[in-house]
Every structure is written in structure tokens, then in C-alpha cells.
Amino acid sequence: MYRIVRKEVLAPGLKRFDVEAPLVARSARAGQFIILRLDEWGERIPLTIADLDPEQGTVTIIFQEVGKSTQLLGQLEEGEYIRDFVGPLGRPSHISQLGRVVMIGGGVGIAPIHPIAREMKRAGNEVISILGARNRQLLILEEEMKQASTEVLITTDDGSYGRKGLVTKVLQELIIHRSPINLVVSIGPLVMMEAVCRVTQAAGIKTMVSLNPIMVDGTGMCGACRVQVGAETRFACVDGPEFDGHLVDWKLARQRAQMFVAEEKQALQEHEERRKGGLGGCGCHCHQ
Amino acid sequence: MRLPLPSIEELKEARKSTRKRPMPSQDPLARMHNFAEVALGYSEEDALLEAARCLSCKKAFCQEGCPVDIDIPAFITKIKERDYLGAARKIKEKSNLPAICGRVCPQESQCEKYCIRGKKEEPVAIGRLERFVADYEIAQGKSDGTGVNSVERSTREPSRDSRVAVVGSGPASLTVAGDLARKGYAVTLFEALHVPGGVLMYGIPEFRLPERIVQHEIEGIRQLGVEIQTNVVIGSTITVDQLFQKGYVAVFLGTGAGLPYFMGIPGENLNGVYSANEFLTRVNLMKAYLFPTYLTPIKVGRRVAVLGAGNVAMDAARTARRLGAEEVSIVYRRSAAEMPARHEEIEHAKEEGVQLRLLTNPIEIKGDDAGWVKELVCLRYELGAPDESGRRAPIAIPGSEHSLEVDTVVVAIGQGPNPLITATTEGLIANKRGNIVAGENGETSRPGVFAGGDIVTGAATVILAMGAGKKAAAAIDRYLSEASHD
């Protein structure tokens, strides 16, 4: 059992937990992920690590409530427990001194980009971060990213904060005015990462992306997380989660993300109907 | 109410029977719609009548056929004496997991293969008798796993200071942990998943090996004093070197064959293509058959093709039927004679309506515009001269290309070793396929590190892994006894 020592609501539907998991906190590095299971009935949910505190023995996760599983997770309170919490999984980010690097985080993707930006800055790089969100309310970790970066540029889809528009527009301007850029790291929705890669490929800038495909065990056992990278099929859980974005087959990645959409919708619908009906919604199974 | 037990005359008559007493089983039409156990187990009467067939040979060939050397005539004699708990103790002198072995051991190629009665008629049903005894003990609630005293259920305390780490919690690891705990070592078992049991939990389906049986046997291991830590990935959460730094004096690696192989044909990454590991893990470990009460989904179409013909393929095919698939085919490039699955599993699959498409091999999976599986393009094969495996080599028939319409494909062509531990442990030698190189008794290239089961041999059976575990446990005991003399 893993205790939630701190809970924070970052934005509507976006939550942060600091979870007591000392073995993970001491062995994990930026870019790796964990898998948690809420309770006996829960799915194994992979989440990229947002922060670590080896001394306190805590691991920070930030998640968006998109389906039944993440909604139930979001209902847990400080002091309550998560049944299973395992990691670190996957390979850490490759951190080295390259010169000028651009970190691009979109939506909840800002969470995993944060420790990578911090380590990149610590390694002596000039770190320019571009943060994208749908609107001002949904922008997370602005302060933390300012600390972890040399410079932070913000875009929102609706223009409610920072520049109006997409992260790729800002990236294109950086490429024109601030070359050379030695590396781009981009984490966010698949369409955003793909769009970033189109821009950087044209400019010849190496780009790493962090993929979060469907997984079950997260240790290389099931192969649910297959991604096509160049000519090879790779398992995101053990070969990734970071890959050279210019080699990723994005169409396939988008297709595979659809695998269980119908089932997820079904689970969510039943969950919401039960809530409306006044039965449960507490996440317990005693009302079934 | 107890049924009247067989009379002496009936037992005499039974002794002459040339056939095993049949295993009571769920009707195929009923069981296709549930995940309850198929084989129901012998009644006491069945067990007594079958035990009567055992000749109690002085030179017991059956025992020689058992990878863990169970004194088979002795336990069957105890059954004849109606001392079933005594029979259980006899088995547990050698095996920590009788209720599991009685269910999933390939007895036909081990103990029963060497049974003297088997020369002219059917051998004694040793596996069914083992299961009867183990289930009897569980039902009596008198199993503590020690095989020494089946009344006391208190957990033992280790009597030695030496701490041993066991990595993985499948059959090899459980055997090592149990054997070393019995000898008084302080054993910690590390499991990466959220429940212990390894392939017994994620791989073998509920209808063949119920979870409660596996967890009962594991509870027995726990009561021997073994500490079980789940959610720890050795090689990542803690490395093997860190285990030694933490004070473990020996490490056993029993991490199994967890890495699924794919065919390497076009279309394998389409939606609706699963590895058998994923398919079975979703259903068994994560209980996707109870979705949405359990939140892990599984999607099975109307027509399912399972590629491969081993036990895992049979498990996947039978699982697909239970999940509602109407047409399930095993697609295999050799003929029935070469199918690696146990005969019993193939028969069960056929009874449940699984079709065999033999001498057929897929060359491509085709999908629709949205990326979902639509058809399996195959070639027909014929058998030529024997190949290096000794089996007749399948040869593609030119121009035999044809398509099967399918919605789901399960790839069950085998599993390899997970590379995590070999990649993170300095000086641990693996072979080209990634299997850890180990000696007869599990010694690896690293002093104090032992390995056994599928991680060494490649994917094999539960009982062979247990046999390797037994040898490794004895070797670890010798290694630590010698070390302490220094």
C-alpha cells in the first residue's frame, strides 16, 4: 500500500499526488515512469514521473481525469492509499551537455517534461521551454518550469494567456531566430508531438518524444505497447518511453491508441450513470 | 453425507481395469460459457479405485520420471490406506506445489510414461491422484505447506542468519524459496507484478488452474517464513548488486520467459493483434473477463486466429471461446503429430469447438482503413524430411496463398527471456538468445548468483522449472554451508 502524502488540484481534472514509494524515489530518474493500480479492481495505469524526492521517499505523479480509472484515482484524498505502485520502468532520458535545447510540453505533458528540463539545465544546457495549454486555467507547473529552464514561452489555444496558437508556431520562430538548437524534447498529445516532429525534421533538429501507449505489465511481458520506430517494432515500456520522434510511425501510434476506446467509454458511462443515480460514485464496489 | 466407499470386491475389480478412471469434467457446452475449472477432480471413491491399480513397484520407474523425485508408490499406498493427509505429506517431502502439479504437469511424458502398467494398458493416473490428495488437504484446511505438521498453521521463523533473495515468483522461484525456508534460511521473494505466482497467475487460465489454488500454495510458502515483496522490479527498483549490498548472501534468478515473440510478418501491429502474453494477462491476471467490474478491458471479435500450437496457444484459443468468439482456429504450419501442446489440452480445445488449421502458416495480416485486423493471408504447407528438431520440416506449397477472415489474432509462438536483469548485472553471462548460462545446479558466472527455470532453459513446463529450483536450492545450501566454514 502506498500513501498519498500530498494532493493538489492543479486545474479542473488535473491532479497532483506525492506518493510514498521510497524504493522508487531512490532508484528513478527523469524520463522513467511508474505503473499504479488503484485497488483490487483497478487497471494498471502507466504515468510518467513528474518529480522525485529521494529524501522524503516520494514520487510525484500528475494525471488528467480522462476515464473511469483516472476519475476514481482523482477521488482519493491525502492520507489515503494506492494499492500498487511499481517502478521505475522504462529507460531514463539521456542527459548531456549539448548547448541549446528546447523542451516542449503540451497539456499534462508538461509534467514529465519538467524533470527532464531541470536535469538538462543542471547539465549546463541553455533550456528554452515552450508550454502549451488549451487555456490559462489548464496551464500547469509554470513556476516550476521557470525554475527548471533558462527561458519559458507560453502558448494557449484560446489566447487567454501567453501567445495565442500552437507550440509549433513558437518553435518555428525559435528555429529562425535562435539557431542552432541542438535538441528538442517534446511530450504531450500525439498530434502535438507529431506536428513538432514535422517542423524539426524539416529543420534537421534531433527530436526526442516520450510515448505513452496502452500498456499492461510495463516490464516487457505483454507487448501491448508496440510502436514502430524506423524499421523496427519496439516496446515503449522497456525500449522507451523516449524515442527519436523522426522515426516514429505516428499514424500507427494514433491507431493503436484507439484499441479500447469503446470499452473505456462503456466503463465511464456506467460509472457516471451510477453517480447520477445516487449510488456510490465513491469508487467503492459495494454498490454494484 | 459421505458416499459409500468401494468394497473389497470393487477394489479387486478396479485393480484389473486396463484404463484410468476418467476425470469428472464440466460439460463442454456449459464450460464454453464460463471460466470455472474444467476438470472437477476425483471423488474419494474415484481415488480409491484408481489407487487400487497401482502395483506399488519396488523399483518405481514412475518416480524416476518425476523431475522432483516424488515417492509416488508411497503416496499412492497412503491413499489405499485412506490416509490422505499422510499421502499429502509424502508428496510435500519433495514438492511444494502439489495442487498445481496435479493440474498442469504433463504426466504423460513424465511419471505416467514410465508406469509399468502403461506398457500394455493405460498407466495409473498419478497426476489425478496427486491432485485429489492436494485438494483433499486444502478442503480439510490442514495444509501449512511444510509437509511436516499439517495441523499447525503458524508462520515459521528463519533459524539462520543467511538471507537469500529469490527473484520472480513462478514455479522455479517458489520451489527455491520453499526449500530454503525449510532449511531455515531467511528468504525474501521479489515479484515485479502486483501478485505473486508468475506464469501461474498471468498465464495459465482460471479454468485450468484456479487462482485460489495458486494463492493457497503460495500461502503455504509464506507460512514457511518466506517474505514476499510484490511491485519490486529487480534490475530496476533494486539491482542484483544492491541485493548483495543489502546483505543478501545468495540470489536466485527465476524470472521466466516473459518476453513475447512475434512472427515478424507485415500487419502484426494492427489493432486486434495480441501476443498470447497480453491476451492471457488481461484475462487471467487482470480479470478482463469480468469487465467492467474489473477495469482492464479485452476485445475479442467474432473470428479469432491463434498462431501456434503449444499449451499457451490452446489456453488462448479456449479463452477466446469463453469470451464469446464464435470461430476460433489454431493456425499451425506442421501437422497434428507435431503439435507441442499436451494431448489433453488439444482434446479439450477441440471439445470446446476450437478448429485446427494445420499445415497452414500466415505470411501477412491485413487490416481495414482504421487499422483493425480484417484478414490473415496464409500459405499451405506439406511435410518434408526431418529438420534439426527431428520433426518433419514444413515446406510451403507454391501458389497456395489464401485468406482467412478474422477480427482478432493471438500470436502464441513462444516467449523469450526478459533482458532486464542480464543487462543490469555486471558479469552475469547470457547466451545468444538471452538465456542466463547456468550449470547443472543453477550456478551462473557470478558467485552467489543462481538461476533456474525458463530464464535458463527457454519456455518449458512448470514441473521442469520446479526441478531446476530443487537443484538450485540444494546448491545454494551447499554454497552457503561451505562459505560459512571459511
Side-chain angles (χ1 to χ4, degrees):
Chain A
M1 300 287 270
Y2 302 81
R3 196 162 63 99
I4 300 162
V5 296
R6 182 171 157 229
K7 175 182 180 175
E8 193 186 336
V9 180
L10 300 175
L14 269 172
K15 286 173 184 164
R16 169 193 164 127
F17 285 173
D18 293 351
V19 181
E20 206 168 56
L23 287 178
V24 184
R26 279 168 212 146
S27 52
R29 285 190 279 157
Q32 292 184 296
F33 67 97
I34 58 96
I35 281 187
L36 64 81
R37 195 177 69 126
L38 183 67
D39 56 24
E40 163 66 20
W41 300 272
E43 293 180 83
R44 291 172 65 90
I45 307 171
L47 290 169
T48 310
I49 292 167
D51 210 347
L52 296 162
D53 189 334
E55 272 157 41
Q56 298 294 313
T58 59
V59 178
T60 302
I61 51 170
I62 293 174
F63 59 94
Q64 192 165 19
E65 295 176 353
V66 284
K68 179 175 173 181
S69 290
T70 39
Q71 284 192 6
L72 291 175
L73 184 65
Q75 285 168 14
L76 289 183
E77 297 299 337
E78 226 167 78
E80 292 189 307
Y81 291 83
I82 294 170
R83 173 79 170 252
D84 297 292
F85 194 94
V86 60
L89 301 168
R91 298 181 180 188
S93 307
H94 185 70
I95 305 291
S96 59
Q97 194 186 347
L98 298 163
R100 183 178 293 136
V101 297
V102 174
M103 302 283 135
I104 307 175
V108 73
I110 297 171
I113 207 98
H114 167 241
I116 304 171
R118 189 175 56 198
E119 293 309 312
M120 280 293 189
K121 192 178 172 196
R122 198 174 282 168
N125 293 290
E126 179 190 348
V127 177
I128 305 173
S129 294
I130 309 173
L131 310 183
R134 249 182 295 156
N135 56 50
R136 179 170 196 163
Q137 209 185 8
L138 290 172
L139 179 76
I140 58 169
L141 301 183
E142 186 186 350
E143 268 320 301
E144 289 87 342
M145 283 304 291
K146 279 183 176 160
Q147 299 263 326
S149 320
T150 321
E151 187 179 343
V152 172
L153 304 162
I154 290 166
T155 69
T156 50
D157 293 2
D158 65 354
S160 53
Y161 191 54
R163 296 268 302 272
K164 180 173 164 45
L166 302 174
V167 290
T168 39
K169 201 167 136 198
V170 177
L171 174 64
Q172 271 162 333
E173 289 172 11
L174 279 180
I175 291 170
I176 294 168
H177 300 295
R178 301 283 291 275
S179 282
I181 293 166
N182 304 96
L183 176 74
V184 171
V185 181
S186 174
I187 309 181
L190 284 171
V191 282
M192 184 204 90
M193 292 192 283
E194 184 181 2
V196 165
C197 286
R198 268 202 302 269
V199 171
T200 56
Q201 193 153 21
I205 304 167
K206 183 173 168 131
T207 302
M208 297 303 288
V209 295
S210 179
L211 300 180
N212 189 8
I214 293 166
M215 285 184 189
V216 185
D217 66 290
T219 62
M221 204 183 80
C222 80
C225 63
R226 311 200 281 294
V227 288
Q228 184 83 24
V229 182
E232 279 178 274
T233 292
R234 312 294 298 272
F235 290 0
C237 67
V238 287
D239 301 322
E242 290 181 15
F243 293 102
D244 182 338
H246 296 159
L247 299 178
V248 169
D249 182 336
W250 294 101
K251 181 169 175 247
L252 183 75
R254 283 198 308 274
Q255 274 173 13
R256 290 189 63 81
Q258 302 298 308
M259 179 93 183
F260 295 107
V261 164
E263 286 74 14
E264 280 156 19
K265 205 181 264 174
Q266 183 198 344
L268 189 62
Q269 242 162 24
E270 290 185 20
H271 179 57
E272 277 168 354
E273 272 161 26
R274 200 168 299 125
R275 280 173 101 167
K276 275 185 220 144
L279 281 174
C282 53
C284 74
H285 288 255
C286 50
H287 301 105
Q288 287 187 343
Chain B
M1 192 187 74
R2 284 174 73 123
L3 293 166
L5 292 174
S7 64
I8 296 193
E9 286 70 35
E10 282 172 311
L11 288 171
K12 274 189 183 153
E13 204 50 40
R15 194 178 166 85
K16 290 185 214 149
S17 169
T18 61
R19 312 204 57 163
K20 291 177 181 178
R21 276 193 81 72
M23 181 61 127
S25 299
Q26 257 202 87
D27 182 77
L29 287 175
R31 74 190 194 224
M32 273 181 324
H33 304 290
N34 69 54
F35 278 80
E37 198 169 10
V38 168
L40 301 172
Y42 273 175
S43 64
E44 188 178 358
E45 183 191 15
D46 288 325
L48 287 168
L49 292 170
E50 184 63 23
R53 296 184 63 228
C54 176
L55 304 176
S56 305
C57 304
K58 284 237 165 57
K59 184 165 173 50
F61 293 111
C62 53
Q63 187 173 353
E64 290 171 24
C66 173
V68 297
D69 192 37
I70 290 170
D71 190 343
I72 293 164
F75 99 74
I76 296 181
T77 300
K78 290 283 183 195
I79 296 177
K80 290 178 184 170
E81 295 165 359
R82 301 188 185 176
D83 176 9
Y84 309 120
L85 293 177
R89 280 195 293 274
K90 205 69 202 146
I91 296 173
K92 283 189 169 177
E93 285 172 9
K94 294 292 167 65
S95 167
N96 293 312
L97 315 168
I100 294 170
C101 292
R103 286 173 166 79
V104 302
C105 260
Q107 291 97 7
E108 65 280 4
S109 59
Q110 296 171 357
C111 51
E112 294 180 18
K113 182 178 172 183
Y114 299 100
C115 172
I116 214 81
R117 289 199 77 139
K119 296 240 185 277
K120 287 191 181 151
E121 50 197 42
E122 284 191 354
V124 175
I126 299 168
R128 293 171 188 175
L129 289 174
E130 180 184 28
R131 171 176 164 178
F132 167 76
V133 164
D135 286 359
Y136 181 91
E137 192 193 36
I138 292 173
Q140 297 289 307
K142 287 181 177 172
S143 163
D144 73 341
T146 65
V148 180
N149 179 345
S150 39
V151 178
E152 260 185 57
R153 289 189 63 103
S154 63
T155 300
R156 282 202 201 169
E157 288 292 326
S159 59
R160 304 184 193 218
D161 293 334
S162 306
R163 292 165 70 205
V164 179
V166 174
V167 183
S169 62
S173 293
L174 289 173
T175 301
V176 171
D179 279 12
L180 289 176
R182 262 175 233 266
K183 288 187 190 296
Y185 291 101
V187 180
T188 311
L189 196 137
F190 295 97
E191 166 58 45
L193 292 172
H194 53 266
V195 288
V199 70
L200 305 170
M201 286 300 293
Y202 73 73
I204 304 178
E206 179 74 13
F207 55 82
R208 214 148 71 71
L209 180 62
E211 177 188 347
R212 84 185 155 78
I213 296 290
V214 178
Q215 291 308 319
H216 178 91
E217 301 277 55
I218 291 173
E219 191 48 40
I221 301 284
R222 221 190 283 263
Q223 284 171 9
L224 288 168
V226 173
E227 184 201 349
I228 300 179
Q229 288 192 21
T230 53
N231 296 324
V232 180
V233 185
I234 299 296
S236 182
T237 315
I238 307 172
T239 62
V240 169
D241 292 297
Q242 285 167 338
L243 286 174
F244 284 109
Q245 286 159 23
K246 281 171 177 277
Y248 291 96
V249 288
V251 175
F252 175 80
L253 305 172
T255 50
L259 197 77
Y261 290 142
F262 286 89
M263 308 255 325
I265 58 175
E268 256 180 325
N269 293 336
L270 287 165
N271 285 359
V273 181
Y274 299 92
S275 74
N277 267 5
E278 179 187 355
F279 191 72
L280 292 173
T281 299
R282 283 181 180 276
V283 179
N284 301 332
L285 180 75
M286 305 309 294
K287 300 198 175 72
Y289 65 97
L290 299 173
F291 179 86
T293 300
Y294 282 77
L295 283 172
T296 302
I298 183 94
K299 202 186 199 83
V300 174
R302 203 165 65 74
R303 295 153 306 188
V304 178
V306 178
L307 314 184
N311 289 323
V312 173
M314 298 304 141
D315 285 345
R318 298 172 67 193
T319 297
R321 283 292 279 158
R322 283 164 174 76
L323 292 170
E326 290 165 28
E327 290 171 27
V328 179
S329 315
I330 293 282
V331 178
Y332 181 53
R333 66 192 180 127
R334 298 180 196 253
S335 75
E338 289 84 17
M339 287 172 77
R342 290 181 67 191
H343 177 71
E344 185 182 319
E345 303 306 328
I346 298 169
E347 285 309 309
H348 275 147
K350 287 205 278 202
E351 285 167 18
E352 290 165 15
V354 172
Q355 299 164 35
L356 305 182
R357 291 184 190 272
L358 304 173
L359 295 166
T360 304
N361 202 39
I363 51 170
E364 186 182 354
I365 306 169
K366 286 188 174 167
D368 62 17
D369 293 339
W372 287 87
V373 169
K374 205 172 68 175
E375 59 186 86
L376 191 66
V377 185
C378 299
L379 290 179
R380 273 189 254 283
Y381 278 64
E382 58 191 357
L383 291 181
D387 60 14
E388 71 274 13
S389 73
R391 299 178 297 181
R392 293 181 63 191
I395 300 162
I397 300 170
S400 65
E401 192 172 313
H402 61 288
S403 276
L404 307 174
E405 285 186 27
V406 291
D407 312 295
T408 304
V409 174
V410 181
V411 185
I413 57 166
Q415 302 89 234
N418 190 311
L420 185 61
I421 287 183
T422 40
T424 55
T425 310
E426 196 87 24
L428 184 67
I429 295 175
N431 66 16
K432 248 189 260 168
R433 314 186 95 201
N435 295 107
I436 295 175
V437 177
E440 167 86 354
N441 298 309
E443 323 83 337
T444 69
S445 52
R446 272 281 297 265
V449 178
F450 296 77
D454 286 1
I455 186 66
V456 172
T457 57
T461 61
V462 168
I463 189 71
L464 286 176
M466 288 177 59
K470 282 213 95 62
K471 285 184 179 170
I476 291 169
D477 181 39
R478 280 196 301 275
Y479 169 79
L480 295 178
S481 307
E482 283 160 20
S484 64
H485 288 182
D486 285 347

